[in-house]
Structure formats: C-alpha cells, structure tokens
Amino acid sequence: MKDLCHSSCRRAGIGVEMDIKLVRADIDDAKEIHAMQVEAFQELLEKYQDYDTSPASEGVDKVEWRLRQDVTCFYFICVGNQKVGAVRVIDPKEHGKNKRISPIFIMPEFRNRGIAQEAMRLCEERHGRENWELDTILQEPGNCHLYEKMGYRQTGRTEAINERLTLVFYEK
C-alpha cells in the first residue's frame, strides 16, 4: 500500500474546497512521473533553453535513478483522485542535515490554485518543518514568491546557468 498524506483546504475568498493528498510513488511510476515532468517543465525549457539542467530534458532513467535512492521520497500530488503534479523530497534523516525539494511541479491546467503550497505543507508534516532547502529560477517571480510565502529565505547563493536563467538558492 502506498503512503498517503492528505489535507482538505479551502481557498481564501473562493470557497472552493480541495482534498489535496500526497501519494508515495515507486519505481513502477517512473514513466508516468517522467511524462508529467516533461509536460510541466516544457514551457520553461523553451523559454530559458536550459537543455542541460531542465527536468523537461531528463530521460526516464534519471527519474528511475531518483526513485531508487534510499533518501528519496517521490510523491504524486493529487486533488481528489486526480494526479495534478509531483514532488520529490530528499530526506537524509540525519540530525542537522537539510531536506531538499527537487523538483516540485504542478501540471499547467492546475496552477495558481494553492496546490503547490499545500503539497509543501504536507511534505513538512511528513518530514519535519525545519532544515529545508531548494532552488528555483530567479527570473520566475511567481516561484520565488511561493517559496518566500512558505517561509524560505534566499541564501545569497546564485548560479548562472546561461544568459537567460539564474538559479537562486533558498533555505528554511
């Protein structure tokens, strides 16, 4: 049976209730996660042309490799019974070592509904609220806003990938 973590949330001002849950993925889910990941990141790949670093450029073998790691938990993000995205948590389960979110994605038709925010809360409930890190595209203010709203702070470290894209690093 797959691990499950869920929450019902009501979007402020909208009155729409969503049953958001994390469902643990396993190696048999690699192709499905890969297909979703490619679709979710395709627009950013076209925009930034970061062919060496974009999740949209990765092969299914990279997803399989991640799913086999002892420190990785990959979850489908579900609204009701519909898979709307995924999140990978790297959790070394060692005191003082940061957990990492890499990647998290929501399918285009489900974005801007608070789903990623709630999925991150569920990850923190399951893996602990402290010692988290992640990185995102500096040129994507919506991503930066989401993480800052979730309590993440920029570390001051950045990494230029190409003339269009710079990664910015966060900790919580």
Side-chain angles (χ1 to χ4, degrees), residues 118-158:
E118 191 61 24
M120 290 176 72
R121 280 194 190 105
L122 290 170
C123 288
E124 289 178 2
E125 282 179 19
R126 180 155 190 96
H127 295 275
R129 298 197 188 283
E130 296 177 350
N131 298 349
W132 286 89
E133 63 184 47
L134 55 80
D135 58 75
T136 194
I137 300 170
L138 179 63
Q139 292 82 359
E140 291 294 316
N143 289 358
C144 295
H145 175 74
L146 165 66
Y147 301 134
E148 290 168 12
K149 183 166 61 170
M150 294 298 299
Y152 286 80
R153 298 292 170 245
Q154 290 187 22
T155 65
R157 179 178 164 219
T158 60

Side-chain angles (χ1 to χ4, degrees), residues 38-166:
V38 168
E39 182 180 343
F41 285 99
Q42 189 62 42
E43 184 180 329
L44 292 174
L45 175 62
E46 291 169 9
K47 182 176 181 180
Y48 295 109
Q49 300 177 14
D50 57 323
Y51 299 103
D52 293 333
T53 58
S54 174
S57 293
E58 294 176 352
V60 69
D61 56 321
K62 182 96 175 220
V63 175
E64 290 171 348
W65 175 77
R66 288 177 174 149
L67 283 162
R68 286 189 175 101
Q69 292 178 314
D70 290 339
V71 296
T72 286
C73 296
F74 230 126
Y75 300 99
F76 285 109
I77 302 168
C78 301
V79 175
N81 293 322
Q82 187 169 14
K83 295 172 184 169
V84 301
V87 59
R88 174 180 172 233
V89 175
I90 304 161
D91 186 352
K93 295 182 175 41
E94 292 180 38
H95 181 71
K97 289 224 176 180
N98 282 353
K99 296 166 283 280
R100 180 170 180 74
I101 293 178
S102 177
I104 182 170
F105 58 88
I106 304 296
M107 303 309 291
E109 63 270 29
F110 296 98
R111 292 180 185 154
N112 299 312
R113 299 183 191 181
I115 296 169
Q117 184 175 336
E118 191 61 24
M120 290 176 72
R121 280 194 190 105
L122 290 170
C123 288
E124 289 178 2
E125 282 179 19
R126 180 155 190 96
H127 295 275
R129 298 197 188 283
E130 296 177 350
N131 298 349
W132 286 89
E133 63 184 47
L134 55 80
D135 58 75
T136 194
I137 300 170
L138 179 63
Q139 292 82 359
E140 291 294 316
N143 289 358
C144 295
H145 175 74
L146 165 66
Y147 301 134
E148 290 168 12
K149 183 166 61 170
M150 294 298 299
Y152 286 80
R153 298 292 170 245
Q154 290 187 22
T155 65
R157 179 178 164 219
T158 60
E159 181 180 335
I161 300 302
N162 60 33
E163 64 279 354
R164 296 173 193 88
L165 185 150
T166 301

